[in-house]
């Protein structure tokens, strides 16, 4: 399944399918882009990041893709599991003081 | 598992009361942050600190104040709570050299009646 991030805040997928969560960013000066996962009743948890001079980075079952031409970031989750159900946030690090600017979340629901 | 703790988890309070939301971390991180988050929405930075006796206002204007007298403790205070302050407040910390990886507490959900 695939979301369009800001415009479709909910993504529903079947267990075992691959998920793609999208995010549009606005600041060309951002040097890092980061994905966080927030489970119900918890604070966000770091998943993976990518430096602005890269276009792809892989982690365990997750891949982040960065397209600077269209200012687009995506998180791919392979073989989605029920434990992946959460709200996913993209964030960009900007400015001299390196603050994080957070995007709107996308809710991922995994159906058994 | 992050060693950052927020109390209380839930708080229901009447208008005009003074409240303090507690945040403590045991990781020795220099940098700490307070965010405000409405349900399902993005996080907005309201305060941050780069070390003891250093505090700055974030991007979202807030009537709250913070203090950083000890490295591990970063409390947030509202002198006079109002219904517009109803929200979730998240505290986070990070290492000085890895600010993009922030460790979050579970949050305090505040309701002002």
């Amino acid at each position: 399944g695939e979301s369009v991030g800001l415009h479709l805040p909910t993504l529903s997928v079947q267990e075992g399918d691959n998920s793609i969560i999208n995010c549009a960013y606005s600041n060309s000066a951002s040097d890092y882009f980061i994905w966080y996962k927030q489970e119900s009743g918890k604070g966000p948890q770091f998943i993976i990041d990518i430096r602005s001079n890269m276009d792809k980075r892989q982690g365990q079952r997750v891949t982040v893709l960065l397209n600077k031409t269209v200012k687009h970031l995506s998180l791919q989750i392979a073989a989605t599991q029920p434990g992946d159900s959460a709200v996913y946030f993209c964030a960009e690090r900007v400015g001299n003081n390196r603050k994080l600017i957070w995007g709107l979340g996308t809710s991922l629901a995994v159906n058994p | 598992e992050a060693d950052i703790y927020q109390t209380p988890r839930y708080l229901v309070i009447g208008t005009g009361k003074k409240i303090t939301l507690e945040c403590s971390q045991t990781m020795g991180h220099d940098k700490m942050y307070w965010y405000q988050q409405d349900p399902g929405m993005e996080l907005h930075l309201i305060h941050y600190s780069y070390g003891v006796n250093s505090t700055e206002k974030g991007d979202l204007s807030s009537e709250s104040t913070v203090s950083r007298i000890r490295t591990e403790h970063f409390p947030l205070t509202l002198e006079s709570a109002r219904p517009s302050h109803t929200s979730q407040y998240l505290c986070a910390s990070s290492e000085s050299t890895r600010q993009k990886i922030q460790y979050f507490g579970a949050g305090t959900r505040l309701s002002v009646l």
Side-chain angles (χ1 to χ4, degrees):
Chain A
E2 182 169 345
S3 82
V4 292
L6 299 179
H7 301 291
L8 279 178
T10 301
L11 174 65
S12 184
V13 300
Q14 290 298 122
E15 182 177 355
D17 286 353
N18 296 332
S19 303
I20 301 174
I21 301 170
N22 297 298
C23 179
Y25 66 92
S26 57
N27 197 320
S28 300
S30 299
D31 63 346
Y32 271 97
F33 301 89
I34 309 106
W35 282 100
Y36 280 81
K37 171 186 180 183
Q38 185 175 24
E39 296 176 88
S40 180
K42 297 183 180 180
Q45 182 179 18
F46 172 85
I47 302 173
I48 191 169
D49 64 349
I50 187 167
R51 193 176 176 130
S52 59
N53 62 356
M54 300 170 65
D55 52 22
K56 181 179 181 179
R57 188 168 186 216
Q58 287 186 293
Q60 187 177 13
R61 278 201 311 118
V62 295
T63 300
V64 57
L65 300 177
L66 176 63
N67 185 330
K68 293 181 288 294
T69 302
V70 295
K71 294 183 181 176
H72 183 267
L73 184 70
S74 70
L75 178 71
Q76 300 178 2
I77 304 174
T80 312
Q81 302 169 359
D84 295 326
S85 294
V87 176
Y88 290 80
F89 290 94
C90 63
E92 52 186 308
R93 193 175 81 168
V94 299
N96 293 332
N97 57 14
R98 310 288 183 92
K99 290 187 291 184
L100 295 185
I101 305 298
W102 296 74
L104 291 173
T106 296
S107 177
L108 175 65
V110 182
N111 303 311
Chain B
E1 194 76 19
D3 295 318
I4 180 163
Y5 307 100
Q6 291 185 242
T7 57
R9 286 294 313 275
Y10 304 93
L11 180 61
V12 181
I13 202 162
T15 297
K17 299 292 185 183
K18 178 180 178 179
I19 60 169
T20 296
L21 307 185
E22 300 289 347
C23 177
S24 294
Q25 51 98 2
T26 59
M27 297 173 281
H29 289 167
D30 285 329
K31 294 181 168 56
M32 296 190 74
Y33 314 84
W34 275 104
Y35 290 91
Q36 188 172 337
Q37 182 187 32
D38 291 324
M41 300 298 287
E42 68 269 45
L43 281 69
H44 294 287
L45 182 67
I46 52 175
H47 297 283
Y48 61 99
S49 168
Y50 284 171
V52 171
N53 294 326
S54 156
T55 62
E56 300 285 344
K57 289 191 178 295
D59 302 316
L60 180 67
S61 176
S62 174
E63 293 166 345
S64 59
T65 59
V66 292
S67 62
R68 188 91 183 274
I69 299 172
R70 302 197 315 267
T71 298
E72 62 270 23
H73 194 215
F74 191 39
L76 180 145
T77 298
L78 273 167
E79 289 293 332
S80 180
R82 294 209 299 269
S84 61
H85 296 139
T86 295
S87 189
Q88 172 157 263
Y89 294 84
L90 289 162
C91 180
S93 71
S94 68
E95 295 178 39
S96 296
T97 56
R98 302 183 75 190
Q99 291 168 254
K100 61 185 185 301
I101 302 176
Q102 297 184 6
Y103 298 87
F104 283 83
T108 294
R109 191 170 295 280
L110 173 65
S111 295
V112 184
L113 305 177

